[in-house]
Amino acid sequence: MLISMLLIAAAGAGGFAITYLIDDDAPIMWRLAAGNIIGSAVFGTLGFFLALAVGLNAAVVIAAVLLTTSALLIFYAGDNRKKLQRNWYDAKSRLHGAPGRRSLRFAYYAFFFLLFFSFFDRSMIVSPDGIFTGGSQNLGDLPFHLGAIFSFVEVNNFPPVNPSFAGARFSYPFIADLLTAFAFKLGAGVRDAMFVQNLSWAISLVIVLERFVWKLTASRLAARLAPPLLFFSGGLGFIWFLGDYWSQSKGFFDFLWHLPKDYTIGDGFRWGNSMVVLFMTQRSLLLGMPLTLIVLGFLWKRFATENTEEAGNRIAPSPNPPVPLSPRLPFSTQAFVTGLLAGLLPLIHLHSLAVLFVVGFFLFILKPEKWVTWISFAVGVAVVAVPELIWSVSGSASETSKFFGWHFGWDKGEQNFVTFWFTNTGIFVPILLAGTYLIAMHQKAEAREGTSEGLPQSRIAAKKKQAKENRRQHDDADSAHTTHHSALLFLLPFAFLFLVSNVAKLAPWEWDNIKVLIYWFVGSIPFAALAIAFMWKKESGLWKVCASVCFVALIASGALDVWRVVSGQINYKVFDSDAVEIAEQIERRVPANSMFLNAPTYNTAIVLTGRQSVMRYPGHLGSHGIDYSTRESDVKRIYQGGSDAIALMEKYRIDHVLISPEERNLGGLNEQFFARFPIAAESGQYRLYRIR
């Protein structure tokens, strides 16, 4: 475990250093968070391509050495050392601020740390009775990720083939699982490795999102409100919760400890709380989203700056600058480096790359005069992303035609479109519209009053006071130069994402549009948070009550579902103890390159061995655009032991056949047919037959 932690530290150090190549004004806390994400992304991708050449063990060491060396080289440059020194002085000066402010900031981040610790601790639960999960939507996703992780560790699955569908390229974005495999290979338990990574990525997402919103709105309160709005997202399910409470006899707190269901997913709710349906189940998004927000923050900074060259040489003021800094990297260079980072997304989270493509296209159309920045960024993306995309699609069993089709209303079913979205997101859209209205009104007021030279003295004083506060807090200097006009324009691509996701399906399973819709939500959060912050800052107590009610209404349903997880109310068995035992026997006795036949379920014991299956869960295969119908029929015919069973086993080159409760539930199982073959492993109701 110690070695794996050192590995994470090495990756984080490399990522921390890279932040100095893309952002000159960021505080050190953001650099640590962004460095964790960038380091993980670079380490995973670099390690993958190295593993193709030298194997997993050597790749882990070489990638760690390269990242650590790159950090030293980056800081070897005088300017970057000076920037690091300035960050250190700024961080120390913050520690001497008002004790009350420091305590609030500590409590804010401590809350999220404890929340994520308790939440992701329930993702995978190992006990003598087997392997469980405490997430209501994680029953199928946990074994999928375990299958990928064990395939890298136990079978050295390079170049990766799909462990769930023999003979096909593993085109699912797998870097998050590969990073877990790296840590596992160095001695960390798979559960501990997943937990530490999920926890660190989630904390990093809080910090990255907070700064993204601050840069967009120039409101500290809006920035603080944004993470709760994301992590406790939900709709009007809390009304259903109240109805369930009043219809039974338990006390309120007793009922809270025994919630009967989720209140953001199921029974007409399809949006789902982000933590429950996305960040626990889709680990790729937990790594991909903060990386995308880092890139979006850079794009916003360039988009909102009026004079690129002038802004490119502006240095954020600091009360303790150790030495003067020379001019920054040209925007084109920073854009290229940021593009390289965005180009990592095909193997991390492909939908995030699609979102960046849409945003980048809009920004180019809206401000073509900044074409040097946009082209430099696009070239950087292409350098990394194009080879990754070519590699992932060659040999893939996914059918591209299944990833697009006209489909109105996302996953509304028979519900009315407006009613569906109001039920699922509650008052979020009205609050969002209020935020855009406030920005539009502010923009008109600025246009009437002119620049600060023509403003009343009170406004000049207010601006000076705000500027002083910004310097004291050492936030980026460019935040003060945010234009409300640019903010409204920056919302357009996210609104477009919402529109497209509601008129077409962007994946074989229409619900997977949520991988794009979540970015509409994240891109809109700054404006909704700004509206709540505006109400709270009003002197009237009634406005503060309205702000509080709106905030609670937006997070209540999601908070209920998250509470249901962290309080341990969910314990779904994924693998029983016999499945774990026979998996251990298979690892000891069966060659790693063996082909297995098992029931097409998500929780076959073969998952825990890393070995390859002829076919696993149809739900996963279908959502990845794989046509599995013929193979599914062949699997059933083999288990029925018909006249063509032997020929089919030869066709798929099957070495071992598993018979367990899952296979018996298929129906038509002919166990007598397999009795002719020797038993390779056995535990309880699990029996593995060696075919050849």
Side-chain angles (χ1 to χ4, degrees):
M1 185 65 180
L2 176 61
I3 297 177
S4 64
M5 294 300 293
L6 292 174
L7 177 73
I8 294 174
F16 177 80
I18 292 173
T19 64
Y20 286 88
L21 302 180
I22 63 173
D23 197 317
D24 299 283
D25 303 316
I28 198 167
M29 188 170 183
W30 180 88
R31 293 194 188 280
L32 290 170
N36 176 45
I37 298 301
I38 293 171
S40 296
V42 174
F43 182 64
T45 305
L46 180 62
F48 164 65
F49 285 106
L50 287 170
L52 294 177
V54 299
L56 183 62
N57 290 342
V60 173
V61 177
I62 295 173
V65 170
L66 288 176
L67 269 174
T68 306
T69 304
S70 67
L72 295 175
L73 291 175
I74 289 172
F75 287 124
Y76 181 77
D79 278 359
N80 291 325
R81 286 203 311 274
K82 294 170 186 175
K83 293 171 188 174
L84 175 60
Q85 190 176 6
R86 187 189 69 189
N87 270 148
W88 177 248
Y89 274 95
D90 288 350
K92 287 199 301 184
S93 66
R94 282 194 171 195
L95 295 177
H96 298 295
R101 190 183 296 271
R102 291 203 312 269
S103 298
L104 287 175
R105 283 181 62 84
F106 175 80
Y108 180 82
Y109 295 117
F111 167 78
F112 279 107
F113 177 84
L114 294 174
L115 171 69
F116 297 144
F117 188 99
S118 302
F119 184 82
F120 290 112
D121 186 55
R122 303 289 301 170
S123 180
M124 179 179 177
I125 306 163
V126 181
S127 78
D129 295 326
I131 297 175
F132 297 74
T133 183
S136 63
Q137 307 298 308
N138 201 34
L139 190 60
D141 290 274
L142 175 60
F144 176 83
H145 291 294
L146 290 177
I149 294 166
F150 286 121
S151 75
F152 293 126
V153 175
E154 302 294 343
V155 186
N156 197 33
N157 187 16
F158 298 99
V161 293
N162 194 331
S164 300
F165 198 77
R169 174 65 56 84
F170 194 26
S171 54
Y172 179 85
F174 52 75
I175 292 299
D177 292 330
L178 180 60
L179 286 164
T180 304
F182 286 171
F184 186 29
K185 196 70 174 178
L186 293 175
V190 64
R191 181 196 178 278
D192 293 338
M194 290 177 64
F195 170 73
V196 171
Q197 289 170 343
N198 291 344
L199 176 63
S200 68
W201 293 340
I203 287 292
S204 296
L205 177 55
V206 169
I207 297 169
V208 170
L209 174 62
E210 183 185 2
R211 185 167 185 259
F212 173 73
V213 175
W214 155 245
K215 291 170 73 175
L216 199 62
T217 65
S219 168
R220 291 192 221 296
L221 180 56
R224 295 285 193 274
L225 293 174
L229 293 179
L230 173 62
F231 291 108
F232 296 123
S233 62
L236 299 180
F238 66 91
I239 298 177
W240 275 251
F241 160 78
L242 293 174
D244 290 342
Y245 166 68
W246 288 112
S247 65
Q248 52 83 58
S249 57
K250 293 180 181 177
F252 182 77
F253 291 104
D254 189 20
F255 184 68
L256 269 182
W257 280 96
H258 300 87
L259 294 175
K261 60 185 179 183
D262 285 340
Y263 289 96
T264 65
I265 190 76
D267 294 337
F269 294 98
R270 302 302 299 152
W271 179 239
N273 170 259
S274 62
M275 290 184 68
V276 172
V277 306
L278 292 175
F279 296 136
M280 177 182 281
T281 62
Q282 300 182 30
R283 304 183 67 236
S284 297
L285 180 63
L286 192 56
L287 177 59
M289 179 175 285
L291 181 60
T292 303
L293 286 175
I294 291 168
V295 176
L296 286 174
F298 172 86
L299 295 177
W300 159 252
K301 185 176 182 178
R302 301 301 177 254
F303 181 74
T305 304
E306 294 300 329
N307 188 322
T308 302
E309 293 303 321
E310 180 182 342
N313 292 287
R314 186 178 67 246
I315 302 298
S318 173
N320 300 296
V323 281
L325 299 181
S326 55
R328 305 173 176 183
L329 288 170
F331 275 169
S332 57
T333 306
Q334 290 189 341
F336 178 75
V337 175
T338 306
L340 292 176
L341 297 177
L344 301 173
L345 283 168
L347 297 181
I348 296 175
H349 192 253
L350 186 57
H351 285 81
S352 294
L353 180 65
V355 168
L356 286 178
F357 176 83
V358 171
V359 174
F361 177 78
F362 266 81
L363 300 187
F364 182 85
I365 297 299
L366 293 171
K367 290 195 176 182
E369 66 273 14
K370 300 189 176 185
W371 63 271
V372 173
T373 294
W374 310 141
I375 296 299
S376 300
F377 172 75
V379 171
V381 173
V383 166
V384 181
V386 171
E388 288 189 356
L389 289 170
I390 292 174
W391 178 89
S392 62
V393 299
S394 59
S396 172
S398 300
E399 298 180 17
T400 307
S401 60
K402 293 185 177 181
F403 282 81
F404 184 84
W406 299 111
H407 185 85
F408 178 72
W410 183 42
D411 204 20
K412 71 179 184 66
E414 299 300 320
Q415 298 183 63
N416 175 271
F417 178 81
V418 175
T419 302
F420 168 79
W421 275 109
F422 182 64
T423 301
N424 277 269
T425 60
I427 62 172
F428 180 79
V429 173
I431 294 295
L432 165 63
L433 295 176
T436 56
Y437 173 80
L438 287 172
I439 288 181
M441 291 300 99
H442 198 146
Q443 176 190 339
K444 290 183 178 180
E446 286 181 337
R448 287 196 304 267
E449 296 176 6
T451 61
S452 60
E453 285 80 1
L455 292 176
Q457 291 299 314
S458 59
R459 284 184 58 82
I460 296 175
K463 280 183 171 287
K464 288 182 178 179
K465 181 179 179 181
Q466 181 63 45
K468 182 178 180 180
E469 176 68 9
N470 287 347
R471 288 193 298 271
R472 192 184 67 80
Q473 291 295 331
H474 311 297
D475 292 303
D476 355 28
D478 59 275
S479 297
H481 298 266
T482 297
T483 65
H484 294 88
H485 176 66
S486 295
L488 290 176
L489 292 178
F490 198 70
L491 181 61
L492 288 178
F494 299 101
F496 177 78
L497 292 173
F498 179 81
L499 175 65
V500 170
S501 299
N502 276 280
V503 298
K505 65 172 188 173
L506 308 175
W509 181 29
E510 59 269 12
W511 188 83
D512 272 348
N513 276 20
I514 197 171
K515 297 175 183 178
V516 174
L517 283 167
I518 190 63
Y519 279 106
W520 156 74
F521 188 74
V522 170
S524 303
I525 278 178
F527 302 89
L530 186 63
I532 297 175
F534 173 83
M535 289 187 285
W536 181 261
K537 289 184 177 180
K538 289 288 187 179
E539 294 183 1
S540 170
L542 182 59
W543 278 106
K544 294 186 184 298
V545 170
C546 289
S548 301
V549 170
C550 290
F551 181 70
V552 170
L554 287 170
I555 69 170
S557 301
L560 288 170
D561 285 1
V562 172
W563 164 251
R564 190 167 178 242
V565 174
V566 301
S567 59
Q569 298 181 39
I570 302 172
N571 285 283
Y572 292 155
K573 180 178 288 187
V574 185
F575 300 101
D576 60 29
S577 57
D578 287 335
V580 176
E581 169 60 28
I582 200 168
E584 292 175 352
Q585 293 183 32
I586 291 171
E587 289 178 10
R588 295 193 301 267
R589 303 175 186 176
V590 178
N593 61 352
S594 296
M595 180 66 66
F596 285 80
L597 181 73
N598 50 261
T601 61
Y602 59 87
N603 62 337
T604 174
I606 306 305
V607 163
L608 300 176
T609 70
R611 272 59 170 179
Q612 194 169 22
S613 295
V614 172
M615 175 184 171
R616 291 183 192 163
Y617 185 46
H620 292 151
L621 300 176
S623 66
H624 299 159
I626 298 175
D627 184 0
Y628 58 84
S629 56
T630 299
R631 193 170 295 194
E632 183 180 33
S633 176
D634 289 346
V635 169
K636 290 181 180 179
R637 287 157 61 191
I638 294 173
Y639 274 115
Q640 289 168 358
S643 58
D644 59 349
I646 297 294
L648 287 172
M649 286 193 290
E650 286 293 330
K651 172 185 175 181
Y652 292 107
R653 304 183 63 81
I654 295 170
D655 298 302
H656 294 82
V657 174
L658 178 67
I659 293 181
S660 72
E662 299 298 334
E663 284 72 29
R664 296 184 180 95
N665 291 335
L666 282 177
L669 173 64
N670 186 350
E671 291 196 56
Q672 188 175 0
F673 170 79
F674 294 99
R676 70 182 75 177
F677 299 103
I679 296 176
E682 186 174 14
S683 177
Q685 299 185 61
Y686 290 75
R687 189 171 293 113
L688 183 74
Y689 292 98
R690 180 166 55 83
I691 305 303
R692 60 175 188 169

